[in-house]
Amino acid sequence: MRLLDRLTGRLVPPPDGRVPLGRYMIPPDEHTLLLDTRRAAPGDYLVGRERNWLLRADQRTWWSGDFGHRPLPDPLVVDNVLKVGDTVTEAVKRGAPLAEWISTPPVVTDTDRRLRPHPLEDRIRAELGFVRAVCRTPHARLRTEHTLVPVSRARSITWRTVVHLSAHSETWAARRLRGVEPAQLLTPVRVPDYDLYENRVVAALVDRLWQHVLARSAELESIASMVERGQDLLSEAAARSSWRGRARLYEMISRLLDGQKFDEEIEQLRDQLNALRNALAPQLDSRLRKGVRTPYDGRPELRPTNLFLNDANYRHSRDLWNAWVKLRGKGDANTDPHATMAAWCRSFAQFVLLLVVQALDELGLQAEPELTVESLGPDELKLRYRYHADALWLSRHSDDTFVLRLRGRQVLRMVPLPHALTASGDPEEITSWLSKLATTNREPLVIFYPGEPAERERLPIHLRLAVHGVHGGWGSSGPAAPTFVPVSPSDIDSVARVGRLLRAALVGPVLAEFPVRVPCRAEFVAPVAKSLNWVEPGRNEIIVVRPPSPEELDAIPSSIDQLGIPTSHVRQRGDHQQKVAGLVRALHDGAEKTRRLLRCPICSRLPTRSDQAFQRRGDTYRCACDHCGSIWETRRCVKCSDRYAVLTTTDSEGKIGGDGDRLDRTFAQDLLAAPCWKRTRSYLCPSCGYCAEARPDSKREDCARCDPE
């Protein structure tokens, strides 16, 4: 029996215990498995009831486990991702043009409705006084308990008193001739028992109302943060280099702000929720809540008891329970948890697809109109883009993973993981999840997961860097672990974050490919290097050290023909012409790779004078754009020796780095390697994360990244 592991793309044995939500799928051609009691179809996610899952092969073979404390994000995120997923799925199924469904806003669009008071909150304010009265003076039944008290306080005894006295000599004061003189007696005492059916219901009601207020407060703060960020982006939108990016950003902000007086509405709702929270908090520590051992967790329909019918306080508490069932609990109770969780997993994949497509559009990549959507299967999709003179393919596979290919080579593999990795806020649990998601693959792997900025702000700095790993790309050896990228409809920087990731994956390896090395026969190296002044000799190779001009590129065949390099042993084999033709092609390819270094990563233009724009610095180089002023260069890490690309725009010049959220706000998608947190001219190696300022012999200020303690 095997399951499909979406992270590795392999079939693996079913796991046991705690697993991330959305990692495993039912493989193709598998029709014998059951999720709980429901037949699992091929392509279904491994889901369960809320936090628990159960997979059955037959009556004797089964696997079970859970998804951790909080596998799903806040309802605000879930609701909006489901809406986006439905929109994208419907558009793709009916074959809508890419330009139609790419305009779907990936942010919360119903903020005005969510900023209005919830109907349940009006009922809470109306009935809370009665609930408070029940919590303060709840009804109870008297229960007899035997308590050990001093003799002076004993008022009655039973047969248990005599039995206890005879068996426990430590309660004796003395032994007399006439018998035992007791010091303590086990005495019956009447105590109130609050663990009634009605009190258990009120205790559960208080807990659920408290959770509702907390969830609403968290939702409000997410909207407030998003609105504040949207207002900040108004001043930044004009500086975006891509007109598509500016247009979409303005549209996103307009949908978000929409001329509403959000500051007043947010502050008003915040005051109301704080008042409710302050009124509910004492009830969590009330006499009723302490006296109830287990809150009610049964059917939503309550039994008509004497207290619920005849006591005014309990009657109003019952009415508030019914209001909660109608407004919050009824829909959840009637929904199949398997279907809800499976819909969330599918919709999150569609949400990530929308972010990736919008990010590609903001980077200026143009989709091929006639090949925009190519159907490969019922759950597959293929989009073709024109990336300079090459074809770039974005493919979605049936396991809801995405692959980016350029010139037939896989550039990036993306896995949407619908598990809220940082929702719990527990550093130990988050560290455990990251270790479970580690893979041994050397291919560039990115894991998208639902995450909020407020969740990351509460984490230690090392975890904050680990769960938001869009650091600007990879070096020549590739990443040793998956890159984790948080996205959310309540985080307005999600598109820019994905754009920075894609820019690094597409541009970073190309820029770091200098110097280009062309394999060459040993007897050809010296003559070729002497004939072409844009190459240098190597060991059985030709090293291209600068981009040749178009004239120098066209002169390659004639320069090689004039070398006079044929020798007797080459002529005897009769393959001289083939060797020379192969060398010409290899030099042409190497020259073209080097000329790609001249193209500006921001505006995609070539410099007017390449000899002035390109500056070689040993085995690294520096290049400047005479159109937009951007500067890109390569550097070599002193720790791992990898070469990596660095990009500086006119807007980002002189700005220091920081954690992922600061990079989102400061640089958006216009970044490759991340800057140092203290010095603007130093950068972090994408391969190993090393900062040149962290050398023991360097004089530097204390850094939160290099010196977290």
Side-chain angles (χ1 to χ4, degrees), residues 19 31 34 42 47 75 148 180 182 206 224 268 287 297 397 414 416 423 495 508 562 579 607 656 683 691 695:
V19 300
H31 299 274
L34 297 174
V47 296
L148 196 65
V180 174
V206 170
Q268 181 179 1
R287 180 184 302 175
D297 60 353
H397 298 161
M414 297 166 278
V495 175
Q562 296 173 5
K579 296 294 184 181
I656 61 174
Y683 288 82
C691 176
R695 297 194 311 270

Side-chain angles (χ1 to χ4, degrees), residues 412-431:
L412 198 62
R413 185 168 180 266
M414 297 166 278
V415 179
L417 186 74
H419 187 108
L421 296 177
T422 58
S424 66
D426 183 2
E428 292 185 2
E429 182 177 355
I430 296 172
T431 303

Side-chain angles (χ1 to χ4, degrees), residues 201 204-205 208 296 300 302 317-325:
V201 170
L205 175 64
R208 296 179 185 187
Y296 178 74
L302 300 180
S317 299
R318 180 202 60 185
D319 294 341
L320 184 55
W321 171 275
N322 292 334
W324 178 87
V325 171

